[in-house]
Every structure is written in structure tokens, then in C-alpha cells.
Amino acid sequence: MAVMVRRRTHYDRDATACAALGIAPTGRDFDTDILSKDNRCRRVSGPGQVAGVAAIAITLAGAKTLDIAHDVTQDNQPTLTTEGRRQSGSDAGEAVASTTQTGAAALRDPRVYVFDVAERPWQGVGKSGLAQKIVRRDDRTGHSFGFMSFDTLTRTGVHQHLGTAFSYFLAGSLTDYQGTTSAGQLGINFAGSTHDAIAYQPTLTVGRMEGPVAYGADVTHSLHAGNRHGNFENAFPDHLPDLSVSLDAVQVSPTRVAGLARRLVYDYAHARTERRMTQMLLLPGTVVPCHRLGALVDMYVLAGDLQIAAHGTRHSAKTSDFVVMEPDAQVTFETRYGASLLVWADGPSTWEDGPAAPELYGFTAAHGDPLRFGNRAPTSFDQADVPRG
């Protein structure tokens, strides 16, 4: 049985990058539950541990990263101890030297995680025909990232999304009252989207949930993170619940990086958050230069290979792997044989060298007509838009 471990990291959007891109820098807490694949989650204690502060050492044997232990000394200054093994490629089993730092400099480097869940068992959700393999889940915020699986004639049950939700269909389809979203399409639900979906064939999706989901009081399963149970109505019945985007139909645009092209799939038009969802297409041999992440970035390797270098550690990802990169990580990635990546970026990045724009994850790009999505949040309907007689 896998273990979920909660970690909170406070970060601020990079002020320089935000100023260059016209985005307000804001501070926020990044909460995530990290999947521990080998069940090793151990408490670390110290004589000066502050009451109520849990120090946790996390080992992610399948995540190709380092073990980290946090402690708090008597003067409330953090102490960081790093120890463990690299878990990727030819580096497996190579010992990494342990170091201990104190004071402000002890804040650990942001991490990059690579999850190979192909051989991991499916996790039940309390209803026959529904299963998942989740690598990141937070029931407080409703955020999650991973696989979702539906057997034939399985229903989700009536539910209402309280935040943006994404499902990329690797196989099969789901049907609700609006229509059907099928393989090769990205299904997007918005805050307020209310529906019941059914699979008429075996279905596998990559899901990224960015908010809780409300279910009726009679629903007992927990397909989505942060389920809320109670009575609700669809306050905007003429707002269709789905935006279905065929990735192959989205225009491919060049980038400043040789060998890297990008599809801007969704620019969060009329959403309450400033994020981007893109598909990145890398030719064999492409190298993406070093850049610093201003916020959380999730990736799914749709096809190909990817090598990621971050803070002196290399990570290898392949087809069907999930990648989670924490805010403030300085990363470089490349591909030997080519790669197709689904990417969700919660904020802009900053190049180590060169101008701030064009930004890698699409924050200096936007659709020419964002209203082509056909859905607008209720807050966008103000009195200024109402024709006056």
C-alpha cells in the first residue's frame, strides 16, 4: 500500500519575471502529497524540535530523487540533512554524500520528481470500475495529478467541479449530456461545471485536478481529491460543462529554443488563475537551456525520453512517466530520441541567460480569440456587457 506524505512549501513568484510579463507577483503556499512508493515514511526527531512541527524524512524509491530530512533546532533555525541514493539510469545505487547546513542557507533545493507508475497497482476509490494511480494529491485543496481508469459502463456520479479540471484521454471516452470526449482530446471542466459522465468503453486518462469536487450526499466513492458531499444545484445551466480540445488540431508554434515547438492548448481564459497548459514537441537532440521555475510545473511524458538536470542531479523520464517540478527549481532538460510532453505550469519561468520573453511555458503567448472556448466564468458577466435599451 502506497503512502502519501504532505509537504508545504511557501514561495513567491519571481518579481523580475512577473514584471517583465505583466503578472502580479504573489506569495502562496504550495501544498502537495507526494507518493512514497516503497512505503518508507519515517519520523525524524531532535532534542530541539519545536512542539507541533513534524520533521519528516521522505524516501521516494521510484521517484529518482534524494532523501530529505527537515528538523528544527532550539533557536528555530532549520537544519537540513540530505542523504540517499540517485534512482535514475546508470546512477542507481550511487552514494550521495551527506551534508548538514544551519541557518537561512539550510533551506533545501527545490526538488524534481519522476514517477514511473506503469507497474504499480491500481488504487481503488470505493466504487467498482473506477481506479487511479495518483502521484500528487491534496484533499484540502482538491489538487491531484495521475492516471484515472474507467471500466465499460462505469459512471462517475453527478458532481460539480469547484476548480479547473483536466483529463487527457489516452484511450476510450467519456460521455455526458453535452457530448463525448475521446482519445487524443483534452477535456477541460471549469469551476461550476456540473455533470455525470459514463464510459461506454474501457478508458484511461491523465488527470490534473485544480480544485475540489462536490458530490451528492448519497455518493460514497472518492474519485477526485477533496470530495465534498451535500446538496447542490447548477446555478448556470446554460454554461456547458466541457471544453474538448483535439490536440492535433491546435496550431504548433515555434519557440526560441531550436528543436522545440509548442501548442498553447489552454491559456486559462476567464479563469481566476494565471496558468498555462501546453504540449511541447522536442526533436531528437533538443536541449532546453537552464531556467528557474516561478511556480509548480507538472509534466506527463506522452512519448519519448527526457533527461532533466536540476541542482546537480540528473533525472530520466520515459514514455508514460509523470514529472513534478517544485517552485524555484533551476532546470535544464533534453531529449536524445525526441519527446512529446503534456505540461501544466502554474506560473512563468525565468531564463538563466537571455531576455525574459518569450517565456518557455507560454506566458507571453495567448490565443487570438480566447472566447472561442465558448465558456465564460460567471464573474465575466458584468453590467458593462449588458445591452442597454
Side-chain angles (χ1 to χ4, degrees):
M1 179 177 177
V3 172
M4 287 293 181
V5 180
R6 171 70 51 80
R7 176 185 299 118
R8 167 169 291 183
T9 302
H10 182 81
Y11 69 94
D12 294 288
R13 282 180 173 171
D14 181 71
T16 303
C18 290
L21 303 176
I23 299 171
T26 57
R28 64 182 65 183
D29 286 328
F30 161 60
D31 279 12
T32 185
D33 285 339
I34 301 296
L35 177 64
S36 174
K37 294 187 177 182
D38 63 353
N39 260 348
R40 287 186 288 171
C41 172
R42 60 188 184 276
R43 290 281 174 178
V44 178
S45 60
Q49 182 170 325
V50 176
V53 178
I56 300 176
I58 305 166
T59 301
L60 299 172
K64 302 160 188 168
T65 186
L66 302 180
D67 298 345
I68 300 294
H70 288 277
D71 203 354
V72 181
T73 59
Q74 290 180 341
D75 59 357
N76 290 344
Q77 294 298 322
T79 299
L80 172 65
T81 302
T82 61
E83 58 181 356
R85 300 184 308 164
R86 290 191 179 97
Q87 299 291 335
S88 57
S90 60
D91 291 331
E94 178 182 343
V96 179
S98 299
T99 61
T100 301
Q101 297 173 313
T102 60
L107 297 176
R108 66 170 178 80
D109 288 336
R111 290 207 206 163
V112 172
Y113 300 93
V114 178
F115 296 95
D116 177 3
V117 299
E119 301 302 323
R120 300 298 302 172
W122 287 96
Q123 305 153 9
V125 301
K127 180 177 180 179
S128 177
L130 294 177
Q132 58 187 6
K133 295 184 182 183
I134 300 298
V135 302
R136 185 171 62 78
R137 179 185 179 109
D138 186 340
D139 284 316
R140 183 184 65 85
T141 63
H143 291 196
S144 65
F145 187 42
F147 283 134
M148 293 186 179
S149 173
F150 307 79
D151 289 347
T152 302
L153 295 182
T154 301
R155 292 175 48 237
T156 61
V158 177
H159 58 278
Q160 184 173 91
H161 292 272
L162 305 180
T164 309
F166 296 87
S167 298
Y168 179 76
F169 285 74
L170 297 167
S173 63
L174 287 177
T175 299
D176 64 10
Y177 75 89
Q178 178 182 338
T180 298
T181 307
S182 55
Q185 292 186 307
L186 180 74
I188 306 172
N189 305 120
F190 307 90
S193 292
T194 306
H195 62 163
D196 181 7
I198 185 171
Y200 285 112
Q201 55 185 316
T203 299
L204 177 64
T205 69
V206 173
R208 194 199 203 231
M209 305 295 133
E210 298 180 359
V213 174
Y215 280 89
D218 59 331
V219 176
T220 59
H221 64 268
S222 56
L223 175 62
H224 302 94
N227 284 2
R228 274 64 166 163
H229 296 270
N231 297 319
F232 55 85
E233 299 293 336
N234 187 351
F236 299 91
D238 54 343
H239 287 202
L240 298 178
D242 314 315
L243 164 63
S244 299
V245 181
S246 297
L247 260 61
D248 289 346
V250 178
Q251 178 177 332
V252 177
S253 301
T255 69
R256 62 172 284 184
V257 178
L260 172 64
R262 184 182 61 213
R263 287 187 168 108
L264 178 55
V265 183
Y266 184 56
D267 63 0
Y268 285 76
H270 300 284
R272 296 179 179 179
T273 51
E274 185 72 22
R275 298 171 177 168
R276 293 292 187 271
M277 190 279 159
T278 63
Q279 181 184 22
M280 291 188 175
L281 305 169
L282 289 75
L283 290 175
T286 298
V287 178
V288 178
C290 184
H291 56 285
R292 184 165 69 87
L293 305 180
L296 173 71
V297 173
D298 285 334
M299 286 184 180
Y300 176 73
V301 184
L302 190 59
D305 68 282
L306 194 68
Q307 291 76 48
I308 306 167
H311 305 280
T313 304
R314 293 186 64 85
H315 312 265
S316 295
K318 63 183 185 310
T319 300
S320 80
D321 282 353
F322 291 86
V323 181
V324 177
M325 299 189 291
E326 289 185 337
D328 289 325
Q330 289 181 292
V331 299
T332 300
F333 50 88
E334 60 186 285
T335 178
R336 183 176 181 181
Y337 301 109
S340 174
L341 311 173
L342 303 182
V343 183
W344 289 264
D346 286 359
S349 63
T350 306
W351 294 107
E352 184 72 15
D353 297 304
E359 193 271 340
L360 177 62
Y361 297 99
F363 284 85
T364 50
H367 294 290
D369 180 16
L371 293 182
R372 70 185 177 85
F373 293 129
N375 286 269
R376 294 204 287 177
T379 53
S380 68
F381 291 98
D382 55 37
Q383 294 300 315
D385 296 330
V386 177
R388 301 184 183 276

